[in-house]
Amino acid sequence: MQYEPELEQLAIEFFKVFSRSEYALKAAGFHRGDGNAEANWTEFAKSVENFAQSPDDEYLESAIEFIQQSPPRKQVVVDGLIDWSAALPNKPLKADNLLIYIRRVRNNLFHGGKFNEHWFDPERSERLIRNSLVILRAFILHVDSTREAYLG
């Protein structure tokens, strides 16, 4: 087993940023209404679509390009065995597709798709996590209400 301390720290950072971002969405009104407190990522995507189409930062532009060209795969079960599927989202908004990919990175980490006592493809995992962080932070901080809730 190869220990990847930098990747471990990056995953922890990702979980923290993702959690704060999801809270910020709900606190800023991007939720699904009464009942379970669930973030409405699609509504949020609408508010950052123009920004996703024309990023104002080369790091964000590069991160978007990487995620679009090398998107995270989705863990699936085929004939009783765990496998990976490209499962490309087909939403009309670029921002919505990007946010689906970021949630997929989160799901793969959280549900063990990328880590099971060792990192699967650590170089790719690191690039996916880093670029997802760039996009998520930029999107959250771009909208006044989510920025305010995120920064507290």
Side-chain angles (χ1 to χ4, degrees):
M1 177 175 88
Q2 184 177 354
Y3 182 60
E4 303 278 347
E6 289 180 31
L7 192 49
E8 304 262 333
Q9 284 304 118
L10 186 62
I12 291 168
E13 179 184 355
F14 179 81
F15 282 128
K16 288 170 67 174
V17 169
F18 189 94
S19 296
R20 283 178 67 187
S21 297
E22 196 163 49
Y23 166 78
L25 289 178
K26 294 181 286 188
F30 295 102
H31 53 71
R32 299 200 180 273
D34 291 345
N36 293 336
E38 294 180 25
N40 189 328
W41 291 92
T42 298
E43 282 304 309
F44 177 65
K46 292 175 186 176
S47 71
V48 294
E49 177 63 13
N50 289 338
F51 187 51
Q53 292 288 346
S54 300
D56 63 358
D57 177 273
E58 67 184 61
Y59 293 110
L60 176 58
E61 189 172 350
S62 176
I64 289 171
E65 184 177 314
F66 175 80
I67 293 293
Q68 288 182 309
Q69 290 180 359
S70 301
R73 291 172 288 166
K74 183 176 185 176
Q75 196 174 48
V76 295
V77 175
V78 178
D79 295 327
L81 300 174
I82 296 172
D83 200 358
W84 293 99
S85 168
L88 301 176
N90 192 20
K91 300 288 186 171
L93 299 179
K94 179 179 186 175
D96 207 7
N97 290 315
L98 289 166
L99 291 167
I100 287 169
Y101 286 143
I102 290 168
R103 292 194 311 276
R104 191 174 287 173
V105 168
R106 179 252 180 221
N107 291 344
N108 289 344
L109 286 170
F110 189 78
H111 297 293
K114 285 295 181 180
F115 180 80
N116 187 12
E117 290 298 317
H118 69 280
W119 286 93
F120 303 123
D121 197 354
E123 294 81 19
R124 177 170 161 72
S125 294
E126 185 266 337
R127 292 187 73 195
L128 284 167
I129 296 168
R130 282 197 192 282
N131 285 293
S132 293
L133 277 168
V134 168
I135 296 166
L136 186 57
R137 282 183 175 131
F139 283 8
I140 290 293
L141 297 177
H142 182 73
V143 177
D144 291 341
S145 61
T146 53
R147 180 179 58 249
E148 184 178 307
Y150 182 87
L151 296 176

